[in-house]
Structures are given as structure tokens and as C-alpha cells.
Amino acid sequence: MAKRDVCVIGVGMTKFERCERSFHDLVKEAVTDALGMASVAPKELEQAFAGYVNGMSCQGQQALYAMGIGGLPVYNVHSYCSTGSSALHLGYQAIASGMNECVLAFGFEKMTKGPLESQLTGLKDHYDEAAKKAPPVAARMFGDGGRRHMELYGTTKEQFAKVSVKNHRHSVNNPRSQYRDAVTLEEVLASREVYDPLTLMQCCPTSDGAGAAILCSREFAAKHGHANPVRIVAQALTTDELEDFGQGALGMIGVGMSTRAAAKVYEEAGVGPQDVDVIELHDCFSTNELITYESLQLCGPGEGGRLIDEGVVTYGGKWVVNPSGGLLSKGHPLGATGLAQCAELVWQLNGMAEKRQVEGARVALQHNVGLGGACVVTMYRRD
């Protein structure tokens, strides 16, 4: 059966920050904004896919009930850091297969300060005094991956730190970003060491927030006044292969998943990385952004440091990577991150990104990875 075009006609997200608002309130804001941009009434939604990591069962339904939406199938998704984009992938499949004409994908999270193992169900019961004294597990994994890259290719601490400088600079123009102050290389390197080579400013903050997207067929989009909508032209969700773990520290942070997902997307879309204008990728730690340049085929193995040194991945370069400020500045409410990346790219392709607009952007790429694991890579296009 031929795959149908999948359009994204509405997106929304809250400001990312730790706040007193309930998850119901956060979801209401993001979903209401997405519906408004799409010119879609809640009764037109055929299914909904809700992403969140921490919380009780059926919170997706509860969030929609609180804003007067019920009766439709709601599927709850949990894939750690790639939860939001996993919900997006289910929505994509529902439209591409012809099952539905219009669906909602949304994600949300309420978090507290501190490492994930101190707050997530299934992990916090084992967060004892010894764990409190150790660096966060995620920082150890992505720090080890960074050090392995340094050993193999001569990458420097300064190059990893420059990723954080770039993304903080981008976030100055994003009113929804948790942090909006530019920082210098010296400030990043001088901030408290979390785990070599990562300093505090090279680690993403925990956040509260929500994001949402309305996905539909091309025919549905046209009926609702969207003559030239943003389309998802390819998407892939991959998981670990056992061989990945034999790659050591790099394999443990999802390099294999990312590489395979990107390759599948380029093949399906019929275009390569050279055709992409703007990218939102999973910079949970500065090391991961630089390493992911290589997984997405923006450069060859070991050349990620060159891209950040030469300004290839910022305004004026070949690609603008994380114009939103990325996870490092914007924040990382686990269930919302994938939908926030989607929102940023749809705004970029529609020319709605205001001061952070990438001039002439027509093709966008999204990368969202969760260890354990799942990686979702998505290509968007607006003709």
C-alpha cells in the first residue's frame, strides 16, 4: 500500500521552566495553540498519542479530559528522552497508513532539580547515599562517550564547550527557552565539573513543559485552508542492536541507533544531509551534539570538532543546528522534548521563528534519542 503524505498543520509548546503549573495546564496551553494554528476543532481529532515519562497510567487521557476532550482513543507512550518523538511517530504512522485523517501527538513532563535517577519511577527507589555522591548516570555515559571520541580523534574539551556557547547564543532569541543568556567559552569551561569532560553548562537542565502537534493528510490540510503545509517526508524509529554495545562508550549512547535512523530517513526521502537547512538534534550534553553531527552524516567520523570550530553549524554556516537553543538552553522536560523539536522546525519552515528564523529554510531534520533505547529521526519539508 502506498504511503500517504503526512502534514503538520499546527504546533504548540509552553515555555520550558520549572514552575508551579499542573501538567493539565501545560498540556492545555500547548494543545490549544496547536489546534488554533491548525484551525481544527477537538471533535475532528480521531486519535491522540501522549508522551510522558513520570506519572501514573492514563495521564494522557486525564490531560485531555481537563480541557474538555474525550471519547477518542488515547495511547500513552514512554521511551525516556525520545518519548515525545515516539508519540509523534505513532501519529505519523496513523496518517501515512490511511488509518486516520487527523490525529494529535503531545508530550509533557513535570520535573524537579537533580539527576533523573533521583526522580523517575523505577529509579528513585534505588537512589541511596552512594548514588547521591556519584556523578549522574547520564553524565557518566555521555562523558565517557565524549572521552572516547577524544581518544579516537583528538577532539578537545574546548570543542565540546563551544557547542554549549553556540546553543546558549541561539537561545537568546527564543522566548520559550529556560535559559536565555549568552555565555563565553571561558564561562562554560570554568563552570563546575560534573564529569570529565562535562561542566555544568554542558549539561541540559530538567524542566517542566508541554508540546503538541496536529498531523493530518494532505486532503484534510487543504480543506482547513493549508495549501502548502509542512510535510513529514520521512521518519524512522530505531532501537539498539546487540552489536552496538560492543562499540563501548559510543555504542552505549546510541550512535548506532542514530546512524541507522538517519540513513533510513535519507533513503526514504531521496535527499541527503546536504539538502537540509535547519536541524534540531538531541544535545542533552554537549558531547552528544558534536558526536551526532557524524551520526547524521554532516561530516565524516572524527570531523565533528571541525564543524563547531569553523561555524558550519550556526547562522551563516551550512546548517543551523538547534536554533531553539537546544536541550542545553531550552530545557529538557522528557516527554515534551520531541514535540518541542517538531514545533521549532515547523515554525522555521513556515517562516514563523521571528528573530531566530533561518533564512530560506525549506528542509529540516529532527533527531531525538532515548537511551535504553529508541532513536527517532524525522525529515520535514515545505515546498
Side-chain angles (χ1 to χ4, degrees), residues 96-117:
S97 67
M99 177 181 295
N100 296 124
E101 291 296 315
C102 181
V103 301
L104 166 67
F106 67 101
F108 57 91
E109 210 71 58
K110 291 286 296 180
M111 305 184 73
T112 58
K113 187 176 181 179
L116 298 183
E117 57 267 31

Side-chain angles (χ1 to χ4, degrees), residues 241-296:
E241 293 184 355
L242 295 181
E243 291 80 4
D244 294 338
F245 302 119
Q247 297 179 27
L250 291 172
M252 294 297 290
I253 59 172
V255 166
M257 292 191 291
S258 297
T259 301
R260 290 189 296 275
K264 288 181 179 180
V265 163
Y266 293 141
E267 181 178 7
E268 181 182 343
V271 298
Q274 71 278 0
D275 301 296
V276 174
D277 302 303
V278 57
I279 301 170
E280 283 283 308
L281 65 77
H282 197 88
D283 60 321
C284 51
F285 297 90
S286 62
T287 50
N288 200 48
E289 174 165 329
L290 190 149
I291 291 167
T292 301
Y293 297 158
E294 300 163 20
S295 300
L296 298 182

Side-chain angles (χ1 to χ4, degrees), residues 28-331:
K28 182 177 181 179
E29 179 184 335
V31 172
T32 298
D33 286 352
L35 290 169
M37 178 177 171
S39 297
V40 167
K43 65 182 180 181
E44 296 178 273
L45 300 173
E46 297 172 79
Q47 297 198 79
F49 304 93
Y52 61 95
V53 176
N54 218 20
M56 297 176 64
S57 180
C58 293
Q59 284 194 175
Q61 286 92 323
Q62 294 170 33
L64 294 182
Y65 293 166
M67 57 181 299
I69 299 176
L72 74 169
V74 179
Y75 301 87
N76 294 283
V77 184
H78 174 176
S79 297
Y80 276 127
C81 299
S82 61
T83 290
S85 58
S86 295
L88 184 71
H89 184 60
L90 291 173
Y92 168 80
Q93 291 181 315
I95 301 299
S97 67
M99 177 181 295
N100 296 124
E101 291 296 315
C102 181
V103 301
L104 166 67
F106 67 101
F108 57 91
E109 210 71 58
K110 291 286 296 180
M111 305 184 73
T112 58
K113 187 176 181 179
L116 298 183
E117 57 267 31
S118 71
Q119 57 190 285
L120 297 185
T121 302
L123 297 178
K124 61 184 179 182
D125 290 344
H126 305 285
Y127 190 65
D128 54 19
E129 289 302 318
K132 292 177 182 178
K133 296 177 181 179
V137 172
R140 280 180 271 166
M141 295 181 73
F142 286 97
D144 287 343
R147 285 207 310 280
R148 181 56 177 159
H149 201 270
M150 295 167 74
E151 294 167 0
L152 290 173
Y153 305 115
T155 310
T156 66
K157 291 184 178 182
E158 287 76 15
Q159 288 171 324
F160 288 134
K162 286 179 182 179
V163 170
S164 184
V165 174
K166 170 184 70 72
N167 290 351
H168 281 278
R169 183 174 68 246
H170 290 178
S171 73
V172 170
N173 291 320
N174 185 359
R176 296 177 178 84
S177 181
Q178 185 162 335
Y179 298 137
R180 297 191 63 194
D181 294 326
V183 296
T184 66
L185 179 61
E186 292 73 23
E187 287 173 327
V188 172
L189 291 170
S191 61
R192 175 175 62 85
E193 182 176 277
V194 176
Y195 184 79
D196 186 36
L198 296 168
T199 63
L200 186 62
M201 287 188 179
Q202 296 175 75
C203 307
C204 68
T206 57
S207 316
D208 299 341
I214 306 297
L215 283 65
C216 68
S217 67
R218 186 183 283 272
E219 295 75 17
F220 185 96
K223 290 177 182 177
H224 286 72
H226 302 276
N228 182 25
V230 172
R231 294 176 293 124
I232 296 178
V233 294
Q235 189 176 65
L237 188 158
T238 56
T239 60
D240 295 297
E241 293 184 355
L242 295 181
E243 291 80 4
D244 294 338
F245 302 119
Q247 297 179 27
L250 291 172
M252 294 297 290
I253 59 172
V255 166
M257 292 191 291
S258 297
T259 301
R260 290 189 296 275
K264 288 181 179 180
V265 163
Y266 293 141
E267 181 178 7
E268 181 182 343
V271 298
Q274 71 278 0
D275 301 296
V276 174
D277 302 303
V278 57
I279 301 170
E280 283 283 308
L281 65 77
H282 197 88
D283 60 321
C284 51
F285 297 90
S286 62
T287 50
N288 200 48
E289 174 165 329
L290 190 149
I291 291 167
T292 301
Y293 297 158
E294 300 163 20
S295 300
L296 298 182
Q297 301 178 31
L298 307 188
C299 61
E303 297 179 355
R306 175 182 62 82
L307 296 193
I308 193 69
D309 279 344
E310 297 178 0
V312 179
V313 286
T314 188
Y315 294 87
K318 170 59 181 170
W319 303 278
V320 180
V321 177
N322 286 327
S324 68
L327 282 62
L328 286 172
S329 298
K330 183 179 60 188

Side-chain angles (χ1 to χ4, degrees), residues 307-380:
L307 296 193
I308 193 69
D309 279 344
E310 297 178 0
V312 179
V313 286
T314 188
Y315 294 87
K318 170 59 181 170
W319 303 278
V320 180
V321 177
N322 286 327
S324 68
L327 282 62
L328 286 172
S329 298
K330 183 179 60 188
H332 185 23
L334 303 183
T337 289
L339 276 307
Q341 291 179 321
C342 171
E344 177 66 25
L345 295 177
V346 170
W347 286 325
Q348 288 285 349
L349 296 186
N350 280 321
M352 300 169 62
E354 301 176 332
K355 292 182 179 180
R356 62 188 187 282
Q357 181 65 49
V358 177
E359 184 177 358
R362 287 292 176 266
V363 180
L365 194 69
Q366 175 186 355
H367 165 269
N368 188 202
V369 66
L371 301 188
C375 177
V376 184
V377 173
T378 308
M379 184 177 286
Y380 303 82

